Amino acid sequence: MAGEVYLDHAATTPTDPRVVEAMRPYFTEVYGNPSTMYALGAMADKAIEEARERIAAFIGAKPEEIYFTSSGTESDNWAIKGIAYANVKKGRHIITSRIEHHAVLEACLFMREQGFEVTQIPVDGEGLVDPDAVRKAIRPDTILISIMHGNNEIGTVEPIAQIGRIAEETDVVFHTDAVQTVGKIPVKVEQLKVDILSASAHKFYGPKGVGFQYIRKGTRISPFIHGGGQERGKRASTHNVPGIVGMGKAVELADAEMESAAAKLRGLADRLYKGIRERVEGIRLNGHPTLRVPGNVNICVDSVEGESMILCLDMNRVCVSSGSACTTGSLEPSHVLLALGLPAEVAHGSLRFTMGKHNTEAEIDYVLQEFPPIVQRLRSMNPLYKKKA
Ligand SMILES: *Cc1c(COP(=O)(O)O)cnc(C)c1O
């Protein structure tokens, strides 16, 4: 294989060269501040409004319901804290799940320190949240439900539309972290019945450091970044013009190519998972067999540490993760895998492959050739491993 085999698209994606081209003029030519009155600023302003319209159309929203942020993490933090602070008069109860990304998880735990109450809904063995459990958790003082759309580790896609209907009936604000689904599977806010939705450009071939937040018109939310009057007074700071333009271009490309890419990703994921199953014993698939983000294969490998497999694959120039990149370096097993009911020692043997639109069957076949001997070698060094007859 020439170059690395990159199978970690849930951590980040390469920026599409067409996105880079679209961004280029906004660094050196159209560098005006979009909040100024002269033509150079107005040109930048026009570009960000075009990106806003494109993003709004892509998720079935109105342009004035789209707010630009610096990341998925910021969008998630803003949703949790902004809704909580704006609605304290109604109550202090937040409902979320056990398998959220750290951006939601930690923001909720912070709000708990601020005197809010947080209920974490458990998931089943395949990572699904039961909408009925959400319904039962709702109280008169519940102000927010935050359940992710697609899980970044195991890929499970949650029944957001069903939960959305419950939130609507009970008049509770509903947020979803759609960072893993926007640009990969159809995401329409009316169909999902969400009030707030968070996304990040670098997860769908856009640049890093830019994201957006959909906020349904009429939703009470406090600003998160205070300053100038940008983004209708809700999110201050000078716009990241090249980033926003790049995110708009990435959305345009996803709109045109997402469907064919998803079919290809499902094929590659199938080839990888089946191939591993045929060659290595003691493999367990984590997450839902069908309701999952295309291109995600998360497995537990019996009697081998995830970290050891990552390092060995890296020596063969294959990039993968165990759990989420954000927890790398910590020896705690993934909270998502533990929530599935896996014992800690099983969760430690997890490996996440996430395919992208540029991956090929030849790359998958290369991994299928390199991976089994790695597992065999690592198992041979583990005195506790006993080959099953
Ligand atoms: C990557 C990710 C985030 C964080 O987005 P950043 O733009 O990297 O801050 C949040 N939620 C999920 C599900 C993610 O996969």
Side-chain angles (χ1 to χ4, degrees):
M1 278 289 135
E4 71 281 351
V5 175
Y6 185 76
L7 300 177
D8 201 16
H9 292 80
T12 194
T13 58
T15 313
D16 190 296
R18 293 167 291 178
V19 168
V20 177
E21 274 321 298
M23 293 170 70
R24 202 181 296 278
Y26 294 91
F27 289 102
T28 50
E29 291 159 43
V30 192
Y31 53 80
N33 185 322
S35 303
T36 55
M37 290 179 68
Y38 39 78
L40 191 66
M43 280 168 73
D45 184 57
K46 185 163 171 286
I48 66 173
E49 291 314 317
E50 280 171 10
R52 198 189 306 278
E53 280 167 27
R54 185 160 274 148
I55 291 164
F58 187 55
I59 62 165
K62 301 183 192 79
E64 63 269 27
E65 294 174 317
I66 302 298
Y67 296 83
F68 294 120
T69 67
S70 71
S71 61
T73 299
E74 185 194 324
S75 295
D76 282 338
N77 270 267
W78 181 18
I80 309 291
K81 297 172 190 172
I83 292 294
Y85 286 127
N87 295 279
V88 273
K89 286 210 183 83
K90 185 187 168 200
R92 290 173 168 264
H93 181 231
I94 297 169
I95 296 172
T96 185
S97 85
R98 288 228 185 116
I99 61 162
E100 297 299 311
H101 186 272
H102 285 273
V104 166
L105 186 66
E106 295 295 326
C108 286
L109 294 181
F110 175 75
M111 293 319 289
R112 187 178 271 170
E113 284 170 26
Q114 305 301 303
F116 287 75
E117 248 188 278
V118 179
T119 301
Q120 290 182 324
I121 306 287
V123 295
D124 69 13
E126 293 170 337
L128 284 174
V129 171
D130 175 7
D132 230 37
V134 175
R135 186 195 294 278
K136 289 193 182 107
I138 295 173
R139 318 188 309 211
D141 62 339
T142 305
I143 50 167
L144 173 66
I145 300 168
S146 179
I147 309 280
M148 72 198 317
H149 191 197
N151 183 272
N152 47 299
E153 292 189 36
I154 55 175
T156 300
V157 175
E158 300 296 338
I160 295 303
Q162 276 171 270
I163 300 167
R165 215 165 299 129
I166 294 166
E168 193 179 54
E169 283 165 22
T170 48
D171 201 23
V172 178
V173 175
F174 182 31
H175 166 248
T176 195
D177 172 342
V179 174
Q180 286 294 337
T181 51
V182 166
K184 297 195 190 118
I185 59 174
V187 172
K188 297 286 181 191
V189 294
E190 286 309 324
Q191 190 238 322
L192 295 177
K193 297 200 170 294
V194 292
D195 301 302
I196 312 188
L197 179 144
S198 304
S200 177
H202 78 98
K203 299 291 177 77
F204 57 96
Y205 308 98
K208 293 170 181 59
V210 61
F212 71 85
Q213 184 96 298
Y214 156 79
I215 306 177
R216 183 185 297 279
K217 218 173 160 180
T219 306
R220 286 171 56 87
I221 183 163
S222 302
F224 184 55
I225 308 269
H226 298 88
Q230 292 92 349
E231 297 295 286
R232 284 140 287 151
K234 284 227 165 65
R235 201 282 183 180
S237 100
T238 302
H239 290 97
N240 172 1
V241 182
I244 292 166
V245 168
M247 182 161 61
K249 184 68 184 179
V251 158
E252 181 194 328
L253 298 176
D255 203 8
E257 300 170 0
M258 183 171 86
E259 225 180 280
S260 56
K264 178 186 164 179
L265 293 179
R266 289 197 175 94
L268 292 176
D270 231 44
R271 189 182 187 90
L272 179 68
Y273 178 60
K274 291 206 175 110
I276 292 176
R277 285 291 301 241
E278 280 165 16
R279 291 164 178 81
V280 185
E281 59 170 34
I283 299 292
R284 173 190 199 284
L285 181 72
N286 298 315
H288 197 279
T290 53
L291 298 173
R292 60 194 298 142
V293 177
N296 172 301
V297 175
N298 187 314
I299 55 173
C300 282
V301 183
D302 182 34
S303 304
V304 192
E305 292 281 321
E307 283 71 18
S308 314
M309 291 186 279
I310 292 172
L311 294 177
C312 292
L313 283 166
D314 186 36
M315 284 189 261
N316 291 284
R317 308 188 68 190
V318 178
C319 309
V320 299
S321 279
S322 105
S324 64
C326 317
T327 50
T328 298
S330 81
L331 283 172
E332 286 286 296
S334 140
H335 67 288
V336 176
L337 297 177
L338 294 182
L340 299 181
L342 294 185
E345 68 273 16
V346 175
H348 271 305
S350 78
L351 208 55
R352 180 189 72 181
F353 303 86
T354 44
M355 273 53 84
K357 63 180 180 179
H358 300 115
N359 287 131
T360 61
E361 290 189 349
E363 289 179 318
I364 300 303
D365 293 345
Y366 172 74
V367 174
L368 290 175
Q369 170 198 307
E370 300 301 319
F371 185 59
I374 289 173
V375 174
Q376 202 178 16
R377 199 165 65 245
L378 292 171
R379 279 179 176 166
S380 72
M381 297 188 297
N382 180 355
L384 296 176
Y385 177 67
K386 292 201 178 49
K387 190 171 172 16
K388 289 174 189 74

